[in-house]
Amino acid sequence: MKRVLLAIAGLMMSGAALASSEALPYSYQADTSNPASLQRGARNFMAYCSGCHSMKYLRYNRIGNDLGIPEDLLKSSLMFTSSKLGDTVNSAMPAEPSKAWFGQTPPDLTLETRARGADWVYSYLRTFYIDTTRPLGVNNIVLPGASMPHVLWELQGWQVKEEAHGDAAAHGGEGEHHGAPLKLIQAGTLSPDEYEKFVGDIVNFMSYAAEPGKSLRMGIGPKAIMYLLLLLVLCYFLKKEFWRDVH
Ligand code: HEC
């Protein structure tokens, strides 16, 4: 019994070690249980991202069902790139020319938060900065040399990179999040707080898209484990009962 417990503890610890991210400027715990945030995130994803990025494993009617968005609203405010409810989220961008325009075809983003992690995507969307040496005049802290324009500049405004100070690097060891070395030099239409929330909503929606069944599974998981533990106890006593007469 002790050995089983030790094995379980070991598994849990290795999981935690894997989950702890490397030094990204920001950490973010996605919340897929807040329908209002997911709805805002979906709307903003469609408005600001689906022009270039698809979510080819996600259908509009699934979004509607899961997020509680009625069909007419779905059609009028989310479905910019197709008209059928059963369609998956396409991008408006033809793949080949976009490669010529940006140097990269904008990748499908259905599984992005699973591939890169929510922290990464959140940090990515917050750390575009002016870099005149780049073709589009912008660069990114977590994806250096990124070929995506800073599509949210009107909301966030423009940031520049600050020179690293000697002691800034001395603070915080590996795995800590100490913000990006960026300074806002031109305000956007959103305040920094509002922009953080805006990005948070998009990352929440993207996390939902990567695992649409997650909240359901989270509900079933603990019950299944309780059931198995109960079964284990019963089996133990049953075994004792069986062997009592043998000894
Ligand atoms: C004008 C086209 C365009 C728009 C609009 C756009 N992107 Fe991108 N995006 C790109 C391109 C091109 C890349 C590839 C960058 C590279 O690899 O250098 C990219 C890359 C990304 C990546 C990194 C993928 C990876 O793992 O390397 C993420 C995440 C992303 N975009 C999210 C978004 C989100 C969220 C939005 C909406 C707020 C958005 N993008 C809007 C063109 C766009």
Side-chain angles (χ1 to χ4, degrees):
M1 191 63 193
K2 234 186 211 156
R3 234 179 300 152
V4 173
L5 282 178
L6 273 177
I8 293 176
L11 271 177
M12 284 161 95
M13 262 147 67
S14 59
L18 276 178
S20 85
S21 53
E22 311 144 35
L24 284 167
Y26 304 108
S27 70
Y28 187 69
Q29 186 67 47
D31 175 11
T32 54
S33 67
N34 177 349
S37 165
L38 293 179
Q39 288 171 0
R40 285 193 302 269
R43 184 193 60 205
N44 295 334
F45 183 91
M46 299 308 161
Y48 290 96
C49 319
S50 73
C52 294
H53 294 282
S54 57
M55 280 199 173
K56 63 182 177 197
Y57 304 113
L58 192 62
R59 292 178 195 285
Y60 290 104
N61 47 8
R62 164 112 217 207
I63 302 177
N65 284 341
D66 289 349
L67 273 50
I69 305 173
E71 270 183 24
D72 45 343
L73 200 62
L74 202 61
K75 280 196 165 153
S76 64
S77 63
L78 286 190
M79 296 175 55
F80 302 126
T81 52
S82 37
S83 56
K84 281 192 239 104
L85 285 163
D87 276 353
T88 58
V89 179
N90 296 314
S91 86
M93 184 78 55
E96 275 311 307
S98 69
K99 180 142 196 199
W101 294 331
F102 300 110
Q104 296 280 344
T105 301
D108 184 89
L109 292 183
T110 329
L111 302 175
E112 179 70 8
T113 55
R114 265 205 268 174
R116 294 275 204 183
D119 297 286
W120 190 92
V121 177
Y122 181 78
S123 295
Y124 177 67
L125 293 174
R126 285 185 58 186
T127 59
F128 281 94
Y129 64 93
I130 294 179
D131 179 351
T132 49
T133 65
R134 298 288 310 152
L136 296 170
V138 286
N139 209 332
N140 188 278
I141 298 279
V142 297
L143 188 66
S147 48
M148 174 170 139
H150 183 17
V151 295
L152 302 174
W153 70 270
E154 274 176 303
L155 307 176
Q156 186 187 28
W158 287 110
Q159 306 186 107
V160 289
K161 199 166 181 181
E162 286 187 309
E163 291 311 313
H165 297 297
D167 54 290
H171 294 304
E174 191 143 334
E176 284 193 34
H177 308 278
H178 28 75
L182 297 176
K183 198 171 86 185
L184 197 66
I185 53 158
Q186 189 192 313
T189 53
L190 299 183
S191 72
D193 278 358
E194 289 168 338
Y195 184 72
E196 274 173 41
K197 293 206 184 73
F198 182 95
V199 168
D201 287 339
I202 290 191
V203 176
N204 287 348
F205 170 70
M206 289 174 68
S207 303
Y208 149 77
E211 275 184 277
K214 189 173 175 192
S215 46
L216 186 70
R217 256 208 336 273
M218 300 286 271
I220 295 173
K223 285 183 206 129
I225 289 172
M226 286 306 293
Y227 172 77
L228 289 173
L229 284 177
L230 197 70
L231 203 66
L232 186 73
V233 173
L234 285 176
C235 288
Y236 174 72
F237 285 114
L238 201 63
K239 180 203 149 218
K240 265 184 113 172
E241 189 62 35
F242 280 157
W243 286 86
R244 174 169 297 156
D245 302 334
V246 179
H247 292 304

